[in-house]
Amino acid sequence: MRTTDPGIALVVPAYRPDARLVELLVGLSGRWGGPVVVVDDGSGEPYARVFRRCSALGALVVPRGERGGKGEALKTGFAAVAGMDPRPWGIVCADDDCRHLPADVVTVAELLAERPGALVLGCRDFRSPQVAPLTHFANLCTRVAVRLFCGVSVSDTQSGLRGLPTGFALRMCEEERGGFEFEAAMLAEAERGGVPFAEAPISYVSDPAAPGSDFRPFVDTARILAVMLELFAKYALSSVFCYALDLVLFGALMALIGSGAGAWGVYAATVAARVVSAGTNFAVNRRKVFGGGVSGKRIARYVALSAGIMAASALAVGWIAPATGVPAVVVKPLVDFLLFFVNYKAQQLWVFA
């Protein structure tokens, strides 16, 4: 029987598991070639027997003093893998709620071995009649949000079965979120950091006898959506700050130049203020919003986009105001508001892609 790459570790965050966690490890026996880490996320003494059985099967059981949530348990597991000698180069994460078949865990590990720099997602088929409508709806909401606000197009945003490079896992240890939204933050960080995505089809397992998931469809989906909206909020704050900076610089330069300079003074102050504010906006968006390095291509695209947005605003206002009879000072904020979203997607998908 072929075993997985010994350089790939398995991390299973567990909270109050039953014998099915042991069954998962038994199912992987002889097929999993790397180390196995099971994180006890504050389950308590009644569940110690399950974890002892995991240890007997060769797993490293890492206890947490109190429950921190799935994200915190994963970070604990990542840190345990990083401390191993030799250190595994990759990690596969699986849930303890009996929804992942041993064969699917192996499939994700094999795809990670083929694409060692990628974030591999074990993706379920939500068209299956087994999928509960609420589960389908929650995945649809997060999938749309991830696509709109992060530029990530994946078919299963909430799958806990995923493989990732150890280096990327350690970067995720710096993430503040510790609940189910941690996995959504992982998608956003992968996009920002240029980590490619890969999808491995896995089974959708619906076992009435399996323990219920702690995932709360409404509360946790809202928290996951908040992760996605945070990226857009950073972009909005960056835009507002740089717009205010543009106005302040323009006013200061006009005060220095004096009104005697005439129209050329206004032009010079406008261009100088816009260059500084645009450069600041580029730097902030690159570091805090979209990620990526500095390159001539990115700068050229940003300049072209800024010029295009400015021209689009002027043309739209110049056409709509006379055609409707609405004053240009009323039309311009509405046009610029729509272009604000266009600018966001263009920066995400073109400038900083």
Side-chain angles (χ1 to χ4, degrees):
M1 183 183 295
R2 190 174 65 180
T3 59
T4 59
D5 188 322
I8 300 178
L10 175 65
V11 172
V12 184
Y15 176 67
R16 297 181 175 179
D18 66 4
R20 289 176 177 83
L21 171 58
V22 178
E23 292 173 7
L24 172 65
L25 300 188
V26 170
L28 289 170
S29 178
R31 306 175 68 182
W32 192 263
V36 176
V37 177
V38 175
V39 181
D40 175 7
D41 190 26
S43 300
E45 183 59 30
Y47 300 88
R49 183 170 177 270
V50 176
F51 291 109
R52 285 195 295 269
R53 293 179 64 186
C54 292
S55 295
L57 289 169
L60 171 64
V61 176
V62 182
R64 289 180 50 84
E66 58 183 20
R67 188 185 185 194
K70 185 177 183 181
E72 292 300 328
L74 283 172
K75 286 186 276 187
T76 299
F78 294 165
V81 172
M84 293 178 176
D85 186 19
R87 189 174 87 174
W89 63 263
I91 297 173
V92 169
C93 309
D95 293 342
D96 71 330
D97 60 1
C98 320
R99 300 296 196 267
H100 298 150
L101 301 178
D104 289 334
V105 176
V106 171
T107 295
V108 170
E110 290 176 340
L111 183 54
L112 179 62
E114 293 175 10
R115 301 190 58 183
L119 174 57
V120 178
L121 302 174
C123 296
R124 300 160 290 182
D125 184 1
F126 283 88
R127 295 171 298 181
S128 169
Q130 294 178 295
V131 180
L134 194 57
T135 301
H136 193 178
F137 177 72
N139 183 72
L140 176 63
C141 289
T142 54
R143 194 170 72 234
V144 170
V146 167
R147 178 63 179 146
L148 286 176
F149 297 109
C150 294
V152 178
S153 180
V154 294
S155 60
D156 189 351
T157 61
Q158 296 171 296
S159 173
L161 180 55
R162 52 184 65 185
L164 62 160
T166 301
F168 178 65
L170 293 180
R171 193 193 318 170
M172 288 305 304
C173 287
E174 302 174 4
E175 170 62 43
E176 295 179 356
R177 299 173 183 83
F180 284 100
E181 68 274 18
F182 175 80
E183 291 171 322
M186 186 184 292
L187 300 180
E189 182 59 30
E191 176 66 18
R192 289 184 72 251
V195 177
F197 293 89
E199 295 192 1
I202 62 173
S203 304
Y204 182 90
V205 179
S206 179
D207 182 2
S213 171
D214 293 318
F215 185 82
R216 298 161 296 178
F218 292 108
V219 175
D220 289 314
T221 297
R223 294 174 68 175
I224 290 170
L225 293 177
V227 175
M228 304 299 105
L229 290 171
E230 181 182 337
L231 187 69
F232 184 74
K234 288 180 179 179
Y235 166 77
L237 288 174
S238 168
S239 299
V240 171
F241 170 77
C242 292
Y243 181 73
L245 177 64
D246 185 81
L247 290 178
V248 170
L249 288 176
F250 176 77
L253 290 171
M254 286 302 300
L256 288 174
I257 295 173
S259 58
W264 287 107
V266 175
Y267 298 154
T270 299
V271 172
R274 182 57 55 87
V275 167
V276 174
S277 63
T280 303
N281 183 253
F282 176 86
V284 172
N285 286 352
R286 182 186 67 83
R287 293 177 61 87
K288 299 298 183 181
V289 183
F290 302 110
V294 178
S295 67
K297 179 184 291 186
R298 281 201 169 112
I299 294 174
R301 287 179 174 179
Y302 182 84
V303 171
L305 176 62
S306 298
I309 292 293
M310 193 166 18
S313 176
L315 291 172
V317 174
W319 175 73
I320 294 174
T324 61
V326 178
V329 293
V330 176
V331 173
K332 182 172 173 54
L334 299 176
V335 169
D336 287 346
F337 179 74
L338 295 176
L339 290 175
F340 174 80
F341 294 94
V342 174
N343 195 16
Y344 172 78
K345 293 304 297 183
Q347 288 194 43
Q348 181 188 77
L349 300 178
W350 185 52
V351 176
F352 296 102

mmCIF file with all atom_site columns, all heavy atoms in Angstrom, residues 274-299:
data_model
loop_
_atom_site.group_PDB
_atom_site.id
_atom_site.type_symbol
_atom_site.label_atom_id
_atom_site.label_alt_id
_atom_site.label_comp_id
_atom_site.label_asym_id
_atom_site.label_entity_id
_atom_site.label_seq_id
_atom_site.pdbx_PDB_ins_code
_atom_site.Cartn_x
_atom_site.Cartn_y
_atom_site.Cartn_z
_atom_site.occupancy
_atom_site.B_iso_or_equiv
_atom_site.pdbx_formal_charge
_atom_site.auth_seq_id
_atom_site.auth_comp_id
_atom_site.auth_asym_id
_atom_site.auth_atom_id
_atom_site.pdbx_PDB_model_num
ATOM 1   N N   . ARG A 1 274 ? -1.845 65.473 -5.711  1.00 0.00 ? 274 ARG A N   1
ATOM 2   C CA  . ARG A 1 274 ? -2.354 64.202 -6.202  1.00 0.00 ? 274 ARG A CA  1
ATOM 3   C C   . ARG A 1 274 ? -1.247 63.155 -6.300  1.00 0.00 ? 274 ARG A C   1
ATOM 4   O O   . ARG A 1 274 ? -1.466 61.971 -6.002  1.00 0.00 ? 274 ARG A O   1
ATOM 5   C CB  . ARG A 1 274 ? -3.020 64.403 -7.571  1.00 0.00 ? 274 ARG A CB  1
ATOM 6   C CG  . ARG A 1 274 ? -3.642 63.138 -8.168  1.00 0.00 ? 274 ARG A CG  1
ATOM 7   C CD  . ARG A 1 274 ? -4.675 62.515 -7.233  1.00 0.00 ? 274 ARG A CD  1
ATOM 8   N NE  . ARG A 1 274 ? -5.705 63.446 -6.838  1.00 0.00 ? 274 ARG A NE  1
ATOM 9   C CZ  . ARG A 1 274 ? -6.825 63.680 -7.525  1.00 0.00 ? 274 ARG A CZ  1
ATOM 10  N NH1 . ARG A 1 274 ? -7.029 63.035 -8.657  1.00 0.00 ? 274 ARG A NH1 1
ATOM 11  N NH2 . ARG A 1 274 ? -7.723 64.534 -7.075  1.00 0.00 ? 274 ARG A NH2 1
ATOM 12  N N   . VAL A 1 275 ? -0.044 63.568 -6.699  1.00 0.00 ? 275 VAL A N   1
ATOM 13  C CA  . VAL A 1 275 ? 1.070  62.624 -6.791  1.00 0.00 ? 275 VAL A CA  1
ATOM 14  C C   . VAL A 1 275 ? 1.396  62.055 -5.414  1.00 0.00 ? 275 VAL A C   1
ATOM 15  O O   . VAL A 1 275 ? 1.580  60.842 -5.247  1.00 0.00 ? 275 VAL A O   1
ATOM 16  C CB  . VAL A 1 275 ? 2.309  63.304 -7.405  1.00 0.00 ? 275 VAL A CB  1
ATOM 17  C CG1 . VAL A 1 275 ? 3.550  62.423 -7.217  1.00 0.00 ? 275 VAL A CG1 1
ATOM 18  C CG2 . VAL A 1 275 ? 2.087  63.587 -8.881  1.00 0.00 ? 275 VAL A CG2 1
ATOM 19  N N   . VAL A 1 276 ? 1.452  62.909 -4.398  1.00 0.00 ? 276 VAL A N   1
ATOM 20  C CA  . VAL A 1 276 ? 1.776  62.451 -3.041  1.00 0.00 ? 276 VAL A CA  1
ATOM 21  C C   . VAL A 1 276 ? 0.666  61.560 -2.491  1.00 0.00 ? 276 VAL A C   1
ATOM 22  O O   . VAL A 1 276 ? 0.920  60.482 -1.938  1.00 0.00 ? 276 VAL A O   1
ATOM 23  C CB  . VAL A 1 276 ? 2.017  63.646 -2.099  1.00 0.00 ? 276 VAL A CB  1
ATOM 24  C CG1 . VAL A 1 276 ? 2.202  63.164 -0.661  1.00 0.00 ? 276 VAL A CG1 1
ATOM 25  C CG2 . VAL A 1 276 ? 3.239  64.429 -2.553  1.00 0.00 ? 276 VAL A CG2 1
ATOM 26  N N   . SER A 1 277 ? -0.588 61.987 -2.644  1.00 0.00 ? 277 SER A N   1
ATOM 27  C CA  . SER A 1 277 ? -1.698 61.205 -2.088  1.00 0.00 ? 277 SER A CA  1
ATOM 28  C C   . SER A 1 277 ? -1.856 59.869 -2.826  1.00 0.00 ? 277 SER A C   1
ATOM 29  O O   . SER A 1 277 ? -2.136 58.840 -2.212  1.00 0.00 ? 277 SER A O   1
ATOM 30  C CB  . SER A 1 277 ? -3.002 61.998 -2.154  1.00 0.00 ? 277 SER A CB  1
ATOM 31  O OG  . SER A 1 277 ? -3.372 62.273 -3.490  1.00 0.00 ? 277 SER A OG  1
ATOM 32  N N   . ALA A 1 278 ? -1.660 59.878 -4.156  1.00 0.00 ? 278 ALA A N   1
ATOM 33  C CA  . ALA A 1 278 ? -1.768 58.647 -4.926  1.00 0.00 ? 278 ALA A CA  1
ATOM 34  C C   . ALA A 1 278 ? -0.637 57.678 -4.567  1.00 0.00 ? 278 ALA A C   1
ATOM 35  O O   . ALA A 1 278 ? -0.851 56.469 -4.452  1.00 0.00 ? 278 ALA A O   1
ATOM 36  C CB  . ALA A 1 278 ? -1.745 58.943 -6.425  1.00 0.00 ? 278 ALA A CB  1
ATOM 37  N N   . GLY A 1 279 ? 0.561  58.211 -4.384  1.00 0.00 ? 279 GLY A N   1
ATOM 38  C CA  . GLY A 1 279 ? 1.682  57.360 -3.977  1.00 0.00 ? 279 GLY A CA  1
ATOM 39  C C   . GLY A 1 279 ? 1.446  56.747 -2.607  1.00 0.00 ? 279 GLY A C   1
ATOM 40  O O   . GLY A 1 279 ? 1.766  55.572 -2.381  1.00 0.00 ? 279 GLY A O   1
ATOM 41  N N   . THR A 1 280 ? 0.877  57.546 -1.717  1.00 0.00 ? 280 THR A N   1
ATOM 42  C CA  . THR A 1 280 ? 0.550  57.021 -0.387  1.00 0.00 ? 280 THR A CA  1
ATOM 43  C C   . THR A 1 280 ? -0.514 55.946 -0.470  1.00 0.00 ? 280 THR A C   1
ATOM 44  O O   . THR A 1 280 ? -0.431 54.902 0.193   1.00 0.00 ? 280 THR A O   1
ATOM 45  C CB  . THR A 1 280 ? 0.069  58.167 0.529   1.00 0.00 ? 280 THR A CB  1
ATOM 46  O OG1 . THR A 1 280 ? 1.080  59.179 0.601   1.00 0.00 ? 280 THR A OG1 1
ATOM 47  C CG2 . THR A 1 280 ? -0.244 57.657 1.924   1.00 0.00 ? 280 THR A CG2 1
ATOM 48  N N   . ASN A 1 281 ? -1.522 56.169 -1.306  1.00 0.00 ? 281 ASN A N   1
ATOM 49  C CA  . ASN A 1 281 ? -2.592 55.189 -1.471  1.00 0.00 ? 281 ASN A CA  1
ATOM 50  C C   . ASN A 1 281 ? -2.049 53.878 -2.038  1.00 0.00 ? 281 ASN A C   1
ATOM 51  O O   . ASN A 1 281 ? -2.435 52.787 -1.591  1.00 0.00 ? 281 ASN A O   1
ATOM 52  C CB  . ASN A 1 281 ? -3.666 55.761 -2.392  1.00 0.00 ? 281 ASN A CB  1
ATOM 53  C CG  . ASN A 1 281 ? -4.849 54.831 -2.567  1.00 0.00 ? 281 ASN A CG  1
ATOM 54  O OD1 . ASN A 1 281 ? -5.036 54.222 -3.604  1.00 0.00 ? 281 ASN A OD1 1
ATOM 55  N ND2 . ASN A 1 281 ? -5.665 54.712 -1.530  1.00 0.00 ? 281 ASN A ND2 1
ATOM 56  N N   . PHE A 1 282 ? -1.163 53.981 -3.002  1.00 0.00 ? 282 PHE A N   1
ATOM 57  C CA  . PHE A 1 282 ? -0.547 52.784 -3.585  1.00 0.00 ? 282 PHE A CA  1
ATOM 58  C C   . PHE A 1 282 ? 0.214  52.006 -2.523  1.00 0.00 ? 282 PHE A C   1
ATOM 59  O O   . PHE A 1 282 ? 0.087  50.775 -2.416  1.00 0.00 ? 282 PHE A O   1
ATOM 60  C CB  . PHE A 1 282 ? 0.403  53.196 -4.719  1.00 0.00 ? 282 PHE A CB  1
ATOM 61  C CG  . PHE A 1 282 ? 1.167  52.037 -5.318  1.00 0.00 ? 282 PHE A CG  1
ATOM 62  C CD1 . PHE A 1 282 ? 0.615  51.277 -6.335  1.00 0.00 ? 282 PHE A CD1 1
ATOM 63  C CD2 . PHE A 1 282 ? 2.433  51.714 -4.854  1.00 0.00 ? 282 PHE A CD2 1
ATOM 64  C CE1 . PHE A 1 282 ? 1.310  50.214 -6.884  1.00 0.00 ? 282 PHE A CE1 1
ATOM 65  C CE2 . PHE A 1 282 ? 3.138  50.642 -5.392  1.00 0.00 ? 282 PHE A CE2 1
ATOM 66  C CZ  . PHE A 1 282 ? 2.576  49.890 -6.414  1.00 0.00 ? 282 PHE A CZ  1
ATOM 67  N N   . ALA A 1 283 ? 1.007  52.715 -1.705  1.00 0.00 ? 283 ALA A N   1
ATOM 68  C CA  . ALA A 1 283 ? 1.817  52.052 -0.683  1.00 0.00 ? 283 ALA A CA  1
ATOM 69  C C   . ALA A 1 283 ? 0.946  51.387 0.383   1.00 0.00 ? 283 ALA A C   1
ATOM 70  O O   . ALA A 1 283 ? 1.206  50.252 0.798   1.00 0.00 ? 283 ALA A O   1
ATOM 71  C CB  . ALA A 1 283 ? 2.760  53.062 -0.032  1.00 0.00 ? 283 ALA A CB  1
ATOM 72  N N   . VAL A 1 284 ? -0.096 52.086 0.826   1.00 0.00 ? 284 VAL A N   1
ATOM 73  C CA  . VAL A 1 284 ? -0.969 51.534 1.870   1.00 0.00 ? 284 VAL A CA  1
ATOM 74  C C   . VAL A 1 284 ? -1.731 50.318 1.342   1.00 0.00 ? 284 VAL A C   1
ATOM 75  O O   . VAL A 1 284 ? -1.823 49.290 2.023   1.00 0.00 ? 284 VAL A O   1
ATOM 76  C CB  . VAL A 1 284 ? -1.951 52.609 2.374   1.00 0.00 ? 284 VAL A CB  1
ATOM 77  C CG1 . VAL A 1 284 ? -2.990 51.993 3.299   1.00 0.00 ? 284 VAL A CG1 1
ATOM 78  C CG2 . VAL A 1 284 ? -1.195 53.711 3.103   1.00 0.00 ? 284 VAL A CG2 1
ATOM 79  N N   . ASN A 1 285 ? -2.282 50.428 0.141   1.00 0.00 ? 285 ASN A N   1
ATOM 80  C CA  . ASN A 1 285 ? -3.033 49.305 -0.426  1.00 0.00 ? 285 ASN A CA  1
ATOM 81  C C   . ASN A 1 285 ? -2.139 48.092 -0.667  1.00 0.00 ? 285 ASN A C   1
ATOM 82  O O   . ASN A 1 285 ? -2.561 46.941 -0.476  1.00 0.00 ? 285 ASN A O   1
ATOM 83  C CB  . ASN A 1 285 ? -3.706 49.720 -1.734  1.00 0.00 ? 285 ASN A CB  1
ATOM 84  C CG  . ASN A 1 285 ? -4.907 50.611 -1.508  1.00 0.00 ? 285 ASN A CG  1
ATOM 85  O OD1 . ASN A 1 285 ? -5.336 50.818 -0.372  1.00 0.00 ? 285 ASN A OD1 1
ATOM 86  N ND2 . ASN A 1 285 ? -5.443 51.170 -2.572  1.00 0.00 ? 285 ASN A ND2 1
ATOM 87  N N   . ARG A 1 286 ? -0.909 48.346 -1.075  1.00 0.00 ? 286 ARG A N   1
ATOM 88  C CA  . ARG A 1 286 ? 0.009  47.232 -1.314  1.00 0.00 ? 286 ARG A CA  1
ATOM 89  C C   . ARG A 1 286 ? 0.356  46.517 -0.016  1.00 0.00 ? 286 ARG A C   1
ATOM 90  O O   . ARG A 1 286 ? 0.390  45.291 0.046   1.00 0.00 ? 286 ARG A O   1
ATOM 91  C CB  . ARG A 1 286 ? 1.298  47.742 -1.979  1.00 0.00 ? 286 ARG A CB  1
ATOM 92  C CG  . ARG A 1 286 ? 2.300  46.643 -2.310  1.00 0.00 ? 286 ARG A CG  1
ATOM 93  C CD  . ARG A 1 286 ? 3.599  47.216 -2.813  1.00 0.00 ? 286 ARG A CD  1
ATOM 94  N NE  . ARG A 1 286 ? 4.308  47.948 -1.785  1.00 0.00 ? 286 ARG A NE  1
ATOM 95  C CZ  . ARG A 1 286 ? 5.081  47.378 -0.877  1.00 0.00 ? 286 ARG A CZ  1
ATOM 96  N NH1 . ARG A 1 286 ? 5.234  46.054 -0.847  1.00 0.00 ? 286 ARG A NH1 1
ATOM 97  N NH2 . ARG A 1 286 ? 5.719  48.091 0.016   1.00 0.00 ? 286 ARG A NH2 1
ATOM 98  N N   . ARG A 1 287 ? 0.603  47.274 1.053   1.00 0.00 ? 287 ARG A N   1
ATOM 99  C CA  . ARG A 1 287 ? 1.059  46.673 2.303   1.00 0.00 ? 287 ARG A CA  1
ATOM 100 C C   . ARG A 1 287 ? -0.086 46.156 3.171   1.00 0.00 ? 287 ARG A C   1
ATOM 101 O O   . ARG A 1 287 ? 0.038  45.115 3.822   1.00 0.00 ? 287 ARG A O   1
ATOM 102 C CB  . ARG A 1 287 ? 1.883  47.684 3.096   1.00 0.00 ? 287 ARG A CB  1
ATOM 103 C CG  . ARG A 1 287 ? 3.210  48.054 2.455   1.00 0.00 ? 287 ARG A CG  1
ATOM 104 C CD  . ARG A 1 287 ? 3.928  49.104 3.273   1.00 0.00 ? 287 ARG A CD  1
ATOM 105 N NE  . ARG A 1 287 ? 4.229  48.613 4.612   1.00 0.00 ? 287 ARG A NE  1
ATOM 106 C CZ  . ARG A 1 287 ? 5.317  47.942 4.933   1.00 0.00 ? 287 ARG A CZ  1
ATOM 107 N NH1 . ARG A 1 287 ? 6.218  47.655 4.005   1.00 0.00 ? 287 ARG A NH1 1
ATOM 108 N NH2 . ARG A 1 287 ? 5.539  47.539 6.171   1.00 0.00 ? 287 ARG A NH2 1
ATOM 109 N N   . LYS A 1 288 ? -1.199 46.892 3.225   1.00 0.00 ? 288 LYS A N   1
ATOM 110 C CA  . LYS A 1 288 ? -2.242 46.586 4.199   1.00 0.00 ? 288 LYS A CA  1
ATOM 111 C C   . LYS A 1 288 ? -3.497 45.942 3.600   1.00 0.00 ? 288 LYS A C   1
ATOM 112 O O   . LYS A 1 288 ? -4.285 45.354 4.330   1.00 0.00 ? 288 LYS A O   1
ATOM 113 C CB  . LYS A 1 288 ? -2.652 47.870 4.928   1.00 0.00 ? 288 LYS A CB  1
ATOM 114 C CG  . LYS A 1 288 ? -1.525 48.545 5.698   1.00 0.00 ? 288 LYS A CG  1
ATOM 115 C CD  . LYS A 1 288 ? -0.993 47.642 6.808   1.00 0.00 ? 288 LYS A CD  1
ATOM 116 C CE  . LYS A 1 288 ? 0.070  48.349 7.624   1.00 0.00 ? 288 LYS A CE  1
ATOM 117 N NZ  . LYS A 1 288 ? 0.620  47.451 8.696   1.00 0.00 ? 288 LYS A NZ  1
ATOM 118 N N   . VAL A 1 289 ? -3.701 46.085 2.305   1.00 0.00 ? 289 VAL A N   1
ATOM 119 C CA  . VAL A 1 289 ? -4.962 45.615 1.720   1.00 0.00 ? 289 VAL A CA  1
ATOM 120 C C   . VAL A 1 289 ? -4.733 44.411 0.815   1.00 0.00 ? 289 VAL A C   1
ATOM 121 O O   . VAL A 1 289 ? -5.172 43.296 1.111   1.00 0.00 ? 289 VAL A O   1
ATOM 122 C CB  . VAL A 1 289 ? -5.677 46.746 0.951   1.00 0.00 ? 289 VAL A CB  1
ATOM 123 C CG1 . VAL A 1 289 ? -7.018 46.248 0.416   1.00 0.00 ? 289 VAL A CG1 1
ATOM 124 C CG2 . VAL A 1 289 ? -5.882 47.954 1.848   1.00 0.00 ? 289 VAL A CG2 1
ATOM 125 N N   . PHE A 1 290 ? -4.032 44.622 -0.290  1.00 0.00 ? 290 PHE A N   1
ATOM 126 C CA  . PHE A 1 290 ? -3.931 43.570 -1.302  1.00 0.00 ? 290 PHE A CA  1
ATOM 127 C C   . PHE A 1 290 ? -2.651 42.752 -1.227  1.00 0.00 ? 290 PHE A C   1
ATOM 128 O O   . PHE A 1 290 ? -2.611 41.622 -1.700  1.00 0.00 ? 290 PHE A O   1
ATOM 129 C CB  . PHE A 1 290 ? -4.051 44.177 -2.706  1.00 0.00 ? 290 PHE A CB  1
ATOM 130 C CG  . PHE A 1 290 ? -5.328 44.928 -2.928  1.00 0.00 ? 290 PHE A CG  1
ATOM 131 C CD1 . PHE A 1 290 ? -5.339 46.309 -3.059  1.00 0.00 ? 290 PHE A CD1 1
ATOM 132 C CD2 . PHE A 1 290 ? -6.534 44.260 -2.979  1.00 0.00 ? 290 PHE A CD2 1
ATOM 133 C CE1 . PHE A 1 290 ? -6.515 47.010 -3.264  1.00 0.00 ? 290 PHE A CE1 1
ATOM 134 C CE2 . PHE A 1 290 ? -7.726 44.945 -3.181  1.00 0.00 ? 290 PHE A CE2 1
ATOM 135 C CZ  . PHE A 1 290 ? -7.715 46.323 -3.318  1.00 0.00 ? 290 PHE A CZ  1
ATOM 136 N N   . GLY A 1 291 ? -1.597 43.302 -0.657  1.00 0.00 ? 291 GLY A N   1
ATOM 137 C CA  . GLY A 1 291 ? -0.333 42.592 -0.590  1.00 0.00 ? 291 GLY A CA  1
ATOM 138 C C   . GLY A 1 291 ? 0.420  42.673 -1.906  1.00 0.00 ? 291 GLY A C   1
ATOM 139 O O   . GLY A 1 291 ? -0.035 43.270 -2.883  1.00 0.00 ? 291 GLY A O   1
ATOM 140 N N   . GLY A 1 292 ? 1.600  42.041 -1.925  1.00 0.00 ? 292 GLY A N   1
ATOM 141 C CA  . GLY A 1 292 ? 2.410  42.043 -3.146  1.00 0.00 ? 292 GLY A CA  1
ATOM 142 C C   . GLY A 1 292 ? 3.584  43.001 -3.037  1.00 0.00 ? 292 GLY A C   1
ATOM 143 O O   . GLY A 1 292 ? 3.616  43.895 -2.201  1.00 0.00 ? 292 GLY A O   1
ATOM 144 N N   . GLY A 1 293 ? 4.551  42.816 -3.905  1.00 0.00 ? 293 GLY A N   1
ATOM 145 C CA  . GLY A 1 293 ? 5.742  43.652 -3.903  1.00 0.00 ? 293 GLY A CA  1
ATOM 146 C C   . GLY A 1 293 ? 5.608  44.853 -4.812  1.00 0.00 ? 293 GLY A C   1
ATOM 147 O O   . GLY A 1 293 ? 4.590  45.064 -5.475  1.00 0.00 ? 293 GLY A O   1
ATOM 148 N N   . VAL A 1 294 ? 6.663  45.668 -4.843  1.00 0.00 ? 294 VAL A N   1
ATOM 149 C CA  . VAL A 1 294 ? 6.705  46.849 -5.702  1.00 0.00 ? 294 VAL A CA  1
ATOM 150 C C   . VAL A 1 294 ? 7.371  46.461 -7.018  1.00 0.00 ? 294 VAL A C   1
ATOM 151 O O   . VAL A 1 294 ? 8.432  45.850 -7.032  1.00 0.00 ? 294 VAL A O   1
ATOM 152 C CB  . VAL A 1 294 ? 7.487  47.993 -5.027  1.00 0.00 ? 294 VAL A CB  1
ATOM 153 C CG1 . VAL A 1 294 ? 7.573  49.193 -5.958  1.00 0.00 ? 294 VAL A CG1 1
ATOM 154 C CG2 . VAL A 1 294 ? 6.832  48.391 -3.714  1.00 0.00 ? 294 VAL A CG2 1
ATOM 155 N N   . SER A 1 295 ? 6.736  46.820 -8.118  1.00 0.00 ? 295 SER A N   1
ATOM 156 C CA  . SER A 1 295 ? 7.318  46.559 -9.434  1.00 0.00 ? 295 SER A CA  1
ATOM 157 C C   . SER A 1 295 ? 6.901  47.675 -10.377 1.00 0.00 ? 295 SER A C   1
ATOM 158 O O   . SER A 1 295 ? 5.901  48.365 -10.140 1.00 0.00 ? 295 SER A O   1
ATOM 159 C CB  . SER A 1 295 ? 6.862  45.208 -9.991  1.00 0.00 ? 295 SER A CB  1
ATOM 160 O OG  . SER A 1 295 ? 5.479  45.221 -10.276 1.00 0.00 ? 295 SER A OG  1
ATOM 161 N N   . GLY A 1 296 ? 7.687  47.839 -11.442 1.00 0.00 ? 296 GLY A N   1
ATOM 162 C CA  . GLY A 1 296 ? 7.360  48.857 -12.428 1.00 0.00 ? 296 GLY A CA  1
ATOM 163 C C   . GLY A 1 296 ? 6.010  48.602 -13.071 1.00 0.00 ? 296 GLY A C   1
ATOM 164 O O   . GLY A 1 296 ? 5.253  49.530 -13.366 1.00 0.00 ? 296 GLY A O   1
ATOM 165 N N   . LYS A 1 297 ? 5.678  47.312 -13.281 1.00 0.00 ? 297 LYS A N   1
ATOM 166 C CA  . LYS A 1 297 ? 4.405  46.966 -13.907 1.00 0.00 ? 297 LYS A CA  1
ATOM 167 C C   . LYS A 1 297 ? 3.243  47.387 -13.002 1.00 0.00 ? 297 LYS A C   1
ATOM 168 O O   . LYS A 1 297 ? 2.245  47.932 -13.472 1.00 0.00 ? 297 LYS A O   1
ATOM 169 C CB  . LYS A 1 297 ? 4.349  45.470 -14.188 1.00 0.00 ? 297 LYS A CB  1
ATOM 170 C CG  . LYS A 1 297 ? 3.048  45.011 -14.828 1.00 0.00 ? 297 LYS A CG  1
ATOM 171 C CD  . LYS A 1 297 ? 3.004  43.502 -15.003 1.00 0.00 ? 297 LYS A CD  1
ATOM 172 C CE  . LYS A 1 297 ? 3.987  43.058 -16.055 1.00 0.00 ? 297 LYS A CE  1
ATOM 173 N NZ  . LYS A 1 297 ? 3.852  41.599 -16.345 1.00 0.00 ? 297 LYS A NZ  1
ATOM 174 N N   . ARG A 1 298 ? 3.375  47.108 -11.689 1.00 0.00 ? 298 ARG A N   1
ATOM 175 C CA  . ARG A 1 298 ? 2.289  47.474 -10.772 1.00 0.00 ? 298 ARG A CA  1
ATOM 176 C C   . ARG A 1 298 ? 2.108  48.986 -10.705 1.00 0.00 ? 298 ARG A C   1
ATOM 177 O O   . ARG A 1 298 ? 0.993  49.491 -10.680 1.00 0.00 ? 298 ARG A O   1
ATOM 178 C CB  . ARG A 1 298 ? 2.573  46.920 -9.379  1.00 0.00 ? 298 ARG A CB  1
ATOM 179 C CG  . ARG A 1 298 ? 2.252  45.435 -9.244  1.00 0.00 ? 298 ARG A CG  1
ATOM 180 C CD  . ARG A 1 298 ? 2.060  45.063 -7.792  1.00 0.00 ? 298 ARG A CD  1
ATOM 181 N NE  . ARG A 1 298 ? 1.508  43.710 -7.695  1.00 0.00 ? 298 ARG A NE  1
ATOM 182 C CZ  . ARG A 1 298 ? 2.160  42.658 -7.215  1.00 0.00 ? 298 ARG A CZ  1
ATOM 183 N NH1 . ARG A 1 298 ? 3.388  42.805 -6.788  1.00 0.00 ? 298 ARG A NH1 1
ATOM 184 N NH2 . ARG A 1 298 ? 1.591  41.478 -7.160  1.00 0.00 ? 298 ARG A NH2 1
ATOM 185 N N   . ILE A 1 299 ? 3.219  49.708 -10.646 1.00 0.00 ? 299 ILE A N   1
ATOM 186 C CA  . ILE A 1 299 ? 3.139  51.174 -10.592 1.00 0.00 ? 299 ILE A CA  1
ATOM 187 C C   . ILE A 1 299 ? 2.498  51.714 -11.863 1.00 0.00 ? 299 ILE A C   1
ATOM 188 O O   . ILE A 1 299 ? 1.632  52.598 -11.816 1.00 0.00 ? 299 ILE A O   1
ATOM 189 C CB  . ILE A 1 299 ? 4.537  51.778 -10.376 1.00 0.00 ? 299 ILE A CB  1
ATOM 190 C CG1 . ILE A 1 299 ? 5.069  51.385 -8.986  1.00 0.00 ? 299 ILE A CG1 1
ATOM 191 C CG2 . ILE A 1 299 ? 4.492  53.297 -10.516 1.00 0.00 ? 299 ILE A CG2 1
ATOM 192 C CD1 . ILE A 1 299 ? 6.499  51.806 -8.732  1.00 0.00 ? 299 ILE A CD1 1
#
